[in-house]
């Protein structure tokens, strides 16, 4: 009986220890800091953060990262944290407090309250246009398009990215389909906060006259005049390919007319006219 009582006591102690471990785990999970959720997020202008210093409630503040990437913090004044990850910013503030002999061993925790700085705008022919946060580093153009719901059915293959790199303006025209079809993956560049991605509308050509289905159609990659004519259903019984005319705007803005060959390429905004047969 004595042995049984000792065994029961040990079992209760084991249960108690296990319960304490679960409680600690729960507290740790609920108190997960922003840097644990966003380990690679880089703070940028416009971000709102909360700074907490362990056992120093007077130093708990909410502040906004200014345009030059700095914040104003009690005791230490201006601290530059723009472009830093959250853990790196915590170390910078802790060092400033320690170097100023304000706190011997400061434990600093930063929570991201509002993400305004590292955002990319995706506009144009996408399924969900808007501003999207960069929650990790090394996000590429194709990934941002996916975040925006992908290119809409009315969208084309060409994407224009504008922004700045190293203080200099950046403008890059990217053929999204070509990146994958032609193996030009180097075109899928990494985006940065403040970038704007614009997806242009799909390129169209127009066909009218003696054709089965006159109207406007998408210019497919490498499309020829013969393929464009097939898109329109081909000539009617009264039409003829021999009288096909093409109208295209020149570099100078003038409309030029030509008699294209069936294998000639079709360009965006080309207008094809199928004439009536004389016989």
């Amino acid at each position: 009986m004595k042995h049984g009582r000792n065994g029961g006591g040990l079992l209760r102690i084991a249960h108690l220890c296990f319960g304490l471990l679960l409680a600690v785990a729960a507290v740790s999970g609920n108190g997960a800091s922003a840097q644990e959720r966003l380990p690679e997020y880089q703070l940028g202008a416009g971000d709102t953060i909360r700074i907490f210093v362990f056992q120093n409630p007077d130093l708990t503040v909410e502040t906004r990262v200014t345009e030059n990437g700095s914040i104003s913090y009690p005791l230490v004044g201006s601290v530059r944290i723009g472009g830093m990850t959250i853990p790196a910013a915590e170390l910078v503030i802790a060092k400033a407090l320690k170097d100023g002999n304000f706190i011997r061993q400061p434990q600093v925790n930063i929570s991201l309250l509002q993400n305004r700085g590292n955002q990319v705008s995706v506009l144009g022919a996408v399924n969900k246009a808007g501003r999207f946060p960069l929650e990790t580093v090394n996000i590429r153009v194709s990934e941002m398009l996916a975040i925006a719901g992908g290119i809409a059915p009315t969208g084309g293959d060409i994407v224009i990215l504008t922004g700045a790199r190293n203080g200099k303006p950046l403008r890059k025209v990217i053929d999204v389909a070509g990146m994958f079809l032609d193996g030009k993956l180097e075109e899928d560049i990494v985006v940065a906060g403040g970038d704007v991605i614009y997806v242009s509308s799909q390129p169209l050509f127009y066909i009218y006259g003696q054709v089965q289905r006159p109207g406007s159609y998408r210019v497919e990659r490498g499309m020829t005049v013969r393929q464009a004519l097939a898109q329109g259903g081909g000539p009617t019984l009264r039409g003829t390919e021999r009288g096909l005319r093409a109208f295209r705007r020149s570099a100078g803005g003038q409309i030029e007319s030509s008699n294209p060959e069936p294998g000639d390429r079709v360009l965006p905004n080309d207008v094809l006219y199928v004439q009536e047969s004389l016989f």
Side-chain angles (χ1 to χ4, degrees):
M1 297 294 293
K2 183 176 181 180
H3 177 73
R5 285 195 298 271
N6 289 338
L10 291 174
L11 184 61
R12 285 193 296 273
I13 292 173
H15 284 167
L16 178 60
C17 291
F18 183 70
L20 289 173
L21 288 173
L22 289 177
V24 171
V27 171
S28 300
N30 292 334
S33 61
Q35 65 266 31
E36 291 171 329
R37 295 190 300 273
L38 304 173
E40 297 179 328
Y41 179 80
Q42 294 178 317
L43 295 167
D47 284 349
T48 301
I49 60 175
R50 177 185 289 118
I51 304 173
F52 171 79
V53 181
F54 181 64
Q55 292 185 340
N56 288 271
D58 292 343
L59 294 179
T60 298
V61 298
E62 292 184 9
T63 185
R64 179 180 175 275
V65 182
T66 64
E67 294 301 321
N68 64 6
S70 63
I71 61 169
S72 180
Y73 192 67
L75 300 180
V76 298
S78 180
V79 182
R80 191 175 186 85
I81 61 173
M84 295 183 181
T85 62
I86 291 176
E90 291 172 342
L91 292 176
V92 166
I93 296 174
K95 185 177 184 300
L97 291 171
K98 184 177 181 179
D99 291 348
N101 296 318
F102 301 114
I103 303 175
R104 183 174 298 177
Q105 295 293 335
Q107 299 179 36
V108 178
N109 178 273
I110 294 177
S111 298
L112 180 64
L113 301 181
Q114 194 171 43
N115 180 350
R116 292 286 188 184
N118 286 323
Q119 292 187 331
V120 173
S121 298
V122 185
L123 309 174
V126 291
N127 288 309
K128 190 176 64 175
R131 300 182 68 192
F132 303 93
L134 294 176
E135 296 186 348
T136 61
V137 296
N138 296 328
I139 294 182
R140 299 185 178 274
V141 170
S142 60
E143 295 173 290
M144 288 306 307
L145 292 175
I147 292 172
I151 297 176
T154 57
D157 297 337
I158 301 302
V159 166
I160 301 173
L161 181 142
T162 58
R165 299 293 187 275
N166 301 319
K168 297 180 180 179
L170 170 70
R171 184 182 187 276
K172 188 171 181 62
V173 179
I174 303 170
D175 182 352
V176 177
M179 290 193 308
F180 302 99
L181 295 176
D182 303 330
K184 298 179 180 180
L185 296 180
E186 69 277 3
E187 295 291 301
D188 196 10
I189 64 174
V190 175
V191 298
D195 281 355
V196 177
I197 298 174
Y198 175 76
V199 180
S200 60
S201 299
Q202 63 182 7
L204 301 175
F205 74 93
Y206 306 85
I207 187 168
Y208 72 111
Q210 294 299 323
V211 67
Q212 300 284 351
R213 295 191 300 270
S216 60
Y217 297 91
R218 178 187 176 98
V219 179
E220 302 294 344
R221 298 175 68 85
M223 175 176 275
T224 64
V225 170
R226 181 178 288 110
Q227 291 171 328
L229 187 60
Q231 279 280 70
T236 65
L237 294 176
R238 300 176 58 183
T240 175
E241 292 186 28
R242 290 175 303 187
L244 185 66
R245 302 285 294 171
F247 301 90
R248 180 178 296 171
R249 189 177 297 276
S250 68
Q254 301 298 318
I255 300 297
E256 298 178 345
S257 174
S258 65
N259 295 106
E261 296 293 329
D264 289 349
R265 292 291 180 89
V266 175
L267 299 182
N269 298 316
D270 277 358
V271 178
L272 303 180
Y273 173 63
V274 180
Q275 299 186 60
E276 183 177 354
S277 175
L278 298 179
F279 305 100

